[in-house]
Amino acid sequence: MKNFLSVHDAASIDTLIERARAIKADPVAHGATGRHKTLINLFFNPSLRTRLSTEKAGTTLGFQVITMDMAGGWKLEFEDGVVMNLDRAEHVKEAAGVLSQYCDILAVRSFPALEDRAADYEDRIINAFKKYATVPVVSLESATRHPLQSLADCITIAEHRRKERPKVVLTWAPHPRQLPQAVPNSFAEWMTAWGEVDLVVANPEGFDLAPEFTAGAEVLHDQTKALRNADFVYAKNWSAYADYGATTERPDWLVDTDKLAVTNDAYFMHCLPVRRNVVVSDGVLDSNRSLVLEQANNRTWSAAAVLEALLAG
Ligand code: SN0
């Protein structure tokens, strides 16, 4: 694997899942994989799981791991051909070139501004690093995708499925803030590419994800209908793609035990952080159906499988 920016970079999802589960089963046996190699993680916005699980994956494999918070540093210029006489101290061309000399794998985290859809969907930060770095680049969540989360979700579903082809429902849920589409975009893209589940996406009218991500899934605007016979229910809020960045209240979309009664005793999933009793009730999160901590655990093993595949080239 050359880079890891989306599911399209993965030659085989099943091989990545297999490798993640093998490293998870015996982390110590893989402690030499990244020996004398350096992983640099760059964060343009804050993170808890992604930062710590990727650092843990790197150190588990024996990498030297360096993490840098770019929010507190100087601002990078991403535009080509500009006169750099304002506040942006360094062009990404130099920054990516310099960092490539200090590491063997470069991982980058960025967020969308949720104002200009075309600008966000260009995914400029991650693509600039891909263009100018001379080492493999990993997305630690970009403006439009969160592939390490989605791979962790595939691992979690593979570990818990009780039938060959489970029904997986991705449902929009309420949230007080304006959130990116990266997690649901990526989840839909990975589930359909994996081809081992039936994916249904449920969201209020006006909140359909970009069609390029949901192709191959059924999209419904009736949550109860979508949840019927589900084996896995993945809740996530996202702001609108059509009326870009718009939000809506819709407390009736909260996931609670009554909603899950129509499912096939479904497992509950969420990428975290989750707003209790806004997105999902305490009753669901605290029940034995919740897989949220196992998803977070699998973030380490998904990152480890990806780092291993990138070293292999
Ligand atoms: C992020 C998101 O993309 O929706 C992180 C997902 C990995 N979620 C949040 O930032 C939630 C923040 C909040 O205030 O609840």
Side-chain angles (χ1 to χ4, degrees), residues 13 187-197 199 212-217:
I13 296 176
F187 184 76
E189 185 172 61
W190 278 75
M191 286 299 126
T192 50
W194 192 20
E196 298 200 6
V197 306
L199 179 67
E212 63 176 290
F213 293 101
T214 50

Side-chain angles (χ1 to χ4, degrees), residues 173-176 235 249-257 259 268 270 272-287:
H175 200 283
E249 291 195 4
R250 301 301 303 263
D252 53 312
W253 280 69
L254 174 145
V255 176
D256 60 16
T257 43
K259 291 259 179 78
F268 176 80
H270 189 282
L272 302 182
V274 71
R275 303 286 190 124
R276 281 177 171 258
N277 305 311
V278 176
V279 171
V280 54
S281 68
D282 283 339
V284 172
L285 266 182
D286 295 331
S287 76

